[in-house]
Amino acid sequence: MMDVHCIRIHAEAKLIMNKLHHKLTIPVDMLGLRLDQALVKLLPDYSRTQIQEWIKDSAVTVNGQIIKTRIRMKGGEKIDIQSISKPPLSWEAQAIPLNIIYEDDELLVINKPSGLVVHPAAGHQDQTLLNALLYHNPRSKDLPRAGIVHRLDKDTSGLLVVAKTKLTLISLYKQLKKRTISREYQSIVVGNLISGGTIDEPIARHPVHRKRMAVITNGRPAITHYRVIEKYRHHTRLKVQLETGRTHQIRVHMAYIRHPVVGDATYGGRLFIPQGATPALRQALQQFRRQALHAYALGCTHPVTQEFMRWEVDLPADMQELIKHLKQDSASGILGE
C-alpha cells in the first residue's frame, strides 16, 4: 500500500546541465502558510533566502501561475520550480590568522576579532572571514558562504560556529530556525538599568536610512533577553541572549529602550561623556571606536554525536580596559560623596 504522505507530497528534483527542477504538491495540513514558508518545509535542503530568490525571479509557479511569496496556501496546489543553478561566486583564499576555539571534522568555532568583516560585500571584497576559511579549509569552497551559518557585525567581536560539511550546514541551519543555537553576549550600554528584561519588538529595514535597521510595526519578530551583570555610575554591563537573529538586533533594541551600546555610532547618536567622569574614563570613552558588544558564549547540538556543546571566551582587551576605567570612575564617585 502506498504511503499517504507520498500521495499528497509528490516531489521530483533533477539537476541536469545546471538546470534545477522541482515538482511539488502542497499538503492540506499547510493550510494558511505563505508560499515561501510552505516551500521551506518541503525543501529543507534549501535556505529561505534561496527559496525567496526563486520566487522573486519568477522561477516558481502555483497551478501554472507565477505567484508572489505572500499568497497563502489552501492545500493541493501544484508547485513547479525551474531555475538555472548559478555557479558559486569565486572568492580568493587568503592567509588571514584565525583564533580557532574548537575544530573537528564537522565544524569549527572561531573567536572573531573586532574589525574583521565576516563575508565579502560592497566595500569589503576580500580580507574577510570567508577568505580566511577558504585558506584554512580548501574544501569549504564547495559550501555556500564557505560554511558560514550566522554573522557578527564587523565591529562586534566573539564566537561564530562554521560548518565544514553539507550535513553540518543543514543541521546548523535547522537549529537556527528552531532557535536552539544558544548565543550569549556581553555589552556595555549607556545609562543605569535597574534590572533585566525582555525586548519583544519587530525589526525591519529603516524606511528612510536603508543601511540601518529599526523597530517597525510590521517588521520581522525579534526577541532580546538581557540581565544586569554590573552597574557603574552612568553605564551598565549586560548579559544579552538572542532568541531571534535579526540584523543589528541587540544594537537596535538597546537604542530603542534608550540605553544604546557604548561606541555605537550608528544607533547611539553622539558620544556620551557623563558629567564628572574621571579624565581616564573620559579618554577611554573617546578612544573606544566600536560598539562594546562581544559574543562570549555559544552552544549548539553536534550534528553527528548529537551532543550539546558549549564554548565560552573572555572579553577582548579593549572591553576589559573600558570596564576597568568604569569601575575606577564609580569608586571615585563613591569616595567623593
Side-chain angles (χ1 to χ4, degrees):
M1 182 177 178
M2 186 177 291
D3 193 332
V4 174
H5 188 68
C6 292
I7 295 174
R8 62 181 186 159
I9 306 179
H10 170 65
E12 178 185 2
K14 300 176 182 177
L15 186 54
I16 303 173
M17 297 295 290
N18 289 331
K19 185 176 181 181
L20 184 70
H21 191 192
H22 286 273
K23 288 185 177 180
L24 305 159
T25 300
I26 301 294
V28 293
D29 60 6
M30 291 189 180
L31 171 69
L33 289 183
R34 290 198 320 262
L35 173 59
D36 61 326
Q37 293 172 330
L39 292 181
V40 166
K41 292 179 178 293
L42 294 174
L43 300 170
D45 286 354
Y46 299 98
S47 68
R48 184 186 296 273
T49 300
Q50 175 64 81
I51 288 169
Q52 290 176 336
E53 184 176 321
W54 287 336
I55 296 169
K56 182 180 178 181
D57 291 343
S58 301
V60 180
T61 62
V62 178
N63 295 332
Q65 301 294 318
I66 296 174
I67 301 294
K68 298 302 181 184
T69 184
R70 296 199 174 275
I71 184 176
R72 299 284 174 175
M73 298 293 96
K74 298 178 180 178
E77 291 92 344
K78 303 296 182 183
I79 308 296
D80 193 286
I81 303 172
Q82 297 190 50
S83 178
I84 301 299
S85 179
K86 298 178 182 178
L89 294 172
S90 178
W91 304 111
E92 181 184 354
Q94 295 176 323
I96 301 169
L98 291 173
N99 183 1
I100 298 174
I101 304 302
Y102 173 86
E103 182 173 15
D104 61 23
D105 291 340
E106 297 294 327
L107 56 82
L108 68 157
V109 177
I110 294 167
N111 185 12
K112 186 189 86 69
S114 168
L116 179 63
V117 174
V118 171
H119 189 280
H124 297 282
Q125 293 297 327
D126 59 6
Q127 295 297 314
T128 71
L129 175 62
L130 184 145
N131 299 108
L133 290 170
L134 291 173
Y135 184 88
H136 175 75
N137 176 30
R139 290 183 298 174
S140 65
K141 66 180 175 55
D142 298 323
L143 297 174
R145 295 179 294 278
I148 295 170
V149 179
H150 61 114
R151 303 184 187 187
L152 293 175
D153 297 336
K154 173 188 173 184
D155 292 327
T156 297
S157 55
L159 296 177
L160 285 162
V161 61
V162 180
K164 294 177 67 177
T165 67
K166 183 178 179 181
L167 170 69
T168 297
L169 189 65
I170 293 171
S171 173
L172 293 175
Y173 275 145
K174 289 180 177 179
Q175 290 181 56
L176 274 176
K177 183 179 176 182
K178 293 178 180 178
R179 303 179 183 178
T180 56
I181 291 183
S182 172
R183 289 169 291 168
E184 299 171 48
Y185 297 72
Q186 286 195 38
S187 182
I188 302 165
V189 301
V190 174
N192 296 122
L193 281 160
I194 298 173
S195 62
T198 294
I199 308 169
D200 185 354
E201 296 290 345
I203 290 175
R205 186 72 55 186
H206 195 288
V208 178
H209 306 289
R210 303 304 294 171
K211 292 184 178 181
R212 296 173 54 182
M213 309 300 287
V215 169
I216 304 289
T217 304
N218 61 348
R220 299 180 69 187
I223 301 173
T224 303
H225 306 284
Y226 64 92
R227 69 174 178 83
V228 174
I229 296 177
E230 195 168 37
K231 300 177 183 179
Y232 312 109
R233 277 213 291 174
H234 303 283
H235 298 81
T236 309
R237 180 179 168 193
L238 300 177
K239 172 185 173 182
V240 185
Q241 190 159 9
L242 291 179
E243 189 169 323
T244 54
R246 308 302 172 219
T247 302
H248 301 172
Q249 180 172 319
I250 294 173
R251 299 162 61 193
V252 171
H253 271 171
M254 297 315 302
Y256 178 76
I257 64 170
R258 299 187 179 182
H259 291 283
V261 175
V262 168
D264 189 348
T266 301
Y267 299 103
R270 296 178 60 184
L271 173 65
F272 170 70
I273 305 269
Q275 186 175 1
T278 62
L281 176 59
R282 177 182 293 272
Q283 182 178 13
L285 289 169
Q286 289 172 335
Q287 294 178 348
F288 201 90
R289 298 301 178 89
R290 61 108 169 182
Q291 58 262 17
L293 184 60
H294 177 70
Y296 81 99
L298 184 147
C300 67
T301 299
H302 195 282
V304 174
T305 67
Q306 295 302 304
E307 173 191 3
F308 186 81
M309 305 181 73
R310 187 177 185 275
W311 301 272
E312 186 171 325
V313 291
D314 293 335
L315 291 175
D318 60 349
M319 286 184 65
Q320 291 190 37
E321 182 72 8
L322 180 58
I323 288 169
K324 180 186 77 173
H325 291 298
L326 288 166
K327 287 181 177 181
Q328 291 173 349
D329 177 79
S330 295
S332 69
I334 293 172
L335 292 174
E337 290 177 355

